[in-house]
Amino acid sequence: MRIGDFRASYAHDEALWPTSAQRRWILVLALLLLLFPLGVNAYIVSLACILGINVIAAAGLNIMTGYTGLISLGHAAFMGVGCYCTAWLAQRGVPFFVALPAAGVLAALIGIVIGIPSLRIKGLYLAVATLAAQFLLVYVFKEWESVTGGVSGIDVPFASLAGFEFSSDQRLYFLIIPTAALLLVAARNLFRTRVGRAFIAIRDKDISAEVLGINLLHYKLAAFAVGSFYAGIAGGLLGYFYRVITPEFFTLQLSIFFLAAIIVGGMGSILGTILGAVFMTLVPELLRHGVTLAALWSPRATEVLSPLKEVVFGVLIIGFLVFEPHGLIEVWRRVRRTFHLWPFRS
Amino acid sequence: MTALATPAATMSNPLAGDPLLRVDGLHLSFGGIQALGGVTLQAKARDITAIIGPNGAGKTSLFNAISGFYRPQQGRIRFAGEDISRTPTARRAAKGMARTFQNVALFRGLSVLDNVKLGGHTRLQANPLTAMWYFGRAQREETRLRAEIERDVIDFLEIDHIRHQPVAALSYGLQKRVELARALAMQPKLLMLDEPVAGMNREETEDMARFILDIQEERGIAVLLIEHDMGLVMDIANHVVVLNFGHVIGVGTPSEVRTNPEVVRAYLGGDFVKPIVPDAAAQAQGIAL
Amino acid sequence: MTAVSFDWTALVEYTITGFLAGGLLSLIALGFVLIYKGTGVINFAMGEFMMLGAYSFYTANKVWGLAMLPAMVVTIAAIGLFAAIVERGILRPLSGQPVISVLMATIGLASVIHGAVDMVWGGINLEMPELLPRTPLRFGEIFIPGKTLWSFVLASAVITAFSIYFRYSRTGVSMRAAASDPITASALGIDVRRTQVLTWIFAGIVGAIAGVIAASMTTLSPALSHIALGVFAVIILGGLDSIVGAIVAGLAIGVIESLTSAYLGGKVRDIVPYLIVLLILLIRPYGLFGTRQVERL
């Protein structure tokens, strides 16, 4: 219990950052994020951009899977939907603040379409259904050449707004990070209302949820739609970032990547989403650097990078599931608990 | 708890209102097994109706049919004059039906407060868009709900000290109380309690009995409860329905039912010939069935 | 109007070939169903067990120079052992955790195996030893590839052997009992943990053999594991917990894939399984033979 932390009204009790200390830290964080790109090199900025995109996608998946318990193996495919939608619109001169939400909405609609047959069933059947959706959508990406450019892909123009172009990673950073921050707060808000509570209720005991008046299919579809919306926006930003996209970007492996991110970070937690996304973004980069270093001794080392990523990936997932199933957020909470009464032991 | 000759046990409740729930001739079978073979009963407002019977009598199946999880093969269920036999479960809640479960069915990922707030789900309006934005409508209704719940439920059931705790960390007795709180937050007309004091010690049982009586008096809710604790039933129920093998074998006030030979036979076995005659001596010794 | 005569011979040929090819799918599906029935888990690493089986066979036969039969025995032993280690080391610690955790564990396992195989043997295509005879079968105009025929024979033999084993042997019966009701089975003295390990060992062996067959029909490469993804349509159609369903659905999907490949082209064939999955989920979510999941209230 924090000393001096008094709540004088219910509204205060329900606030996101009720203590002034918390608000100060958030301000510091905001300032850091703002000034960050000015002090580091271009590589780190582009890494931060990818991180932002991953955070948004992971948040969407966490809403679906972590909070509502709907396993989705097709998250990458929904990102693809958003990405191609953004590309198509951007090629026609649509500014980003229309193209991105549109991408999100389209992804959400596709999510609902996939959800209608899939959400009458649970657990493993749902997992297989989303797997099927993943392959079907990638097939569409490859074959619908007039819209998606097929296997050779399409170009995405710079994100633009009234002549101003986000023509560098530095500039794009200031599009991605605020969007991510906004979407994270929105996700957190969801769980301060009846909608988010219903999601969690469905995950924990859907029969009880029904008795409380929650229409299961309705809310499951809503969870799917919101999660896919986030995926769509992440996909759109991905398009603006990479500038050339092909269906190869949105494979089953990417879907699994995001599942790993929320497991590693902690399912059912927004902070966990961030931790998981950070971890999973940095790991491939570290591996890449490690392999480049190893290539100095053994020239064949670079061939090993892709399968090595797979092995490390799988080991991480299994390791976290067995040893730390609640994810990094649990580690974080343990550290906080220890420091609460430090130096006095509890 | 010893059975006492309270007025409630011997006379029907003069304050009871009209029948709120009417179950008519409910037949329910699973495959070849008949769970309910033509059950008819009523629950009135401001009345506490207890459903008792040996294990396997069909009590929870009856509850599940009333909740809408099971579709009975025959029979009708009417609630506040409306035929709800075909209404889906989620819609029955909005009509004013609340229920607790035999195995506490709280949402382990949520705190006490959030669990209770879920009781108010059907009375709120937020959709995903307004929820994500939060400011304005969603925030207003959340604050309003919070104030309402604190005043009507949390204070009443004395769970304010644990409101932010995760439910998984609570004792069994407190969990059952939180489940009751959640049901009350629905502002129901009918409250269905499935073994509300199962597994509780003496003190917890008395607390729960007190709460149920307060609910009946102060809120005029119809209470329908399944219970095995005969002491509780004798003490607080106005009206008792006895089930055995899916049939109603006795109906009446608690003391009427206690002396019903069919009921005695159901509980104690078939060869009992002499029915128990109520007399002061037996009651003074506190013979409970 | 000129009547274009429909090529009935071709149709029959495609159907029979598809039917025979479906035998392999049934075998792989059997592996899935075994684990699902026995432990309630969908093993996303099935394709990787297949891979391991195929690569082990290759190594035993071509690298170590063992004859086919001993090589097969070594393969079966190795993969069986590996499956046991997986069950003990990964699945056992996770028992009791939610479905998604165990699912993700098998996905993680698949990733590890896939990457490890790629690292050890390289990503190039290798040629499998000549396990399945090539000589085709001919009825008049109908031409059945030899490999397809023999894959069916081998798959049928394995499926039949397993079915008999499960039906009549003591271990088989105790495995079925433990799968159906672990608590009662335990009370009757059946070692439920042992049956779970056995379930995984058998599924691993089934997968290994299926992998050897599959690699013999196509080529040996890390892409082999993708065949298992197509089998999801089979288990959804047949019902996750039905062995009979797995067999029937495998043959049916084999025919469907063969016909779509012949009449609609190779690319469509790749996604047909997934279209079927979504279709089945719309109409009959628990498959033709699966049991509807009922929850105790």
Side-chain angles (χ1 to χ4, degrees), chain A residues 10 23 27 63 87 166 222 307 337:
Chain A
Y10 295 132
R23 284 195 288 270
L27 228 62
I63 291 175
F166 289 89
R337 275 198 295 268

Side-chain angles (χ1 to χ4, degrees), chain B residues 3 17 20-21 24 28 36 69 73 75 87 103 117 133-134 141 148 151 157 166 178 181-182 222 235 262 266 274:
Chain B
L20 186 63
L21 175 75
D24 281 311
L28 183 66
L36 300 172
F69 295 125
Q73 280 76 25
T87 314
N103 309 312
K117 280 186 187 177
W133 179 246
Y134 193 70
E141 71 176 15
E148 201 181 86
R151 186 189 63 224
L157 288 176
V178 172
R182 189 179 67 188
D235 257 13
E262 279 301 311
K274 264 192 164 176

Side-chain angles (χ1 to χ4, degrees), chain B residues 195-206:
Chain B
E195 300 198 29
V197 299
M200 285 188 177
N201 61 35
R202 192 112 324 190
E203 192 186 321
E204 289 168 334
T205 306
E206 288 181 2

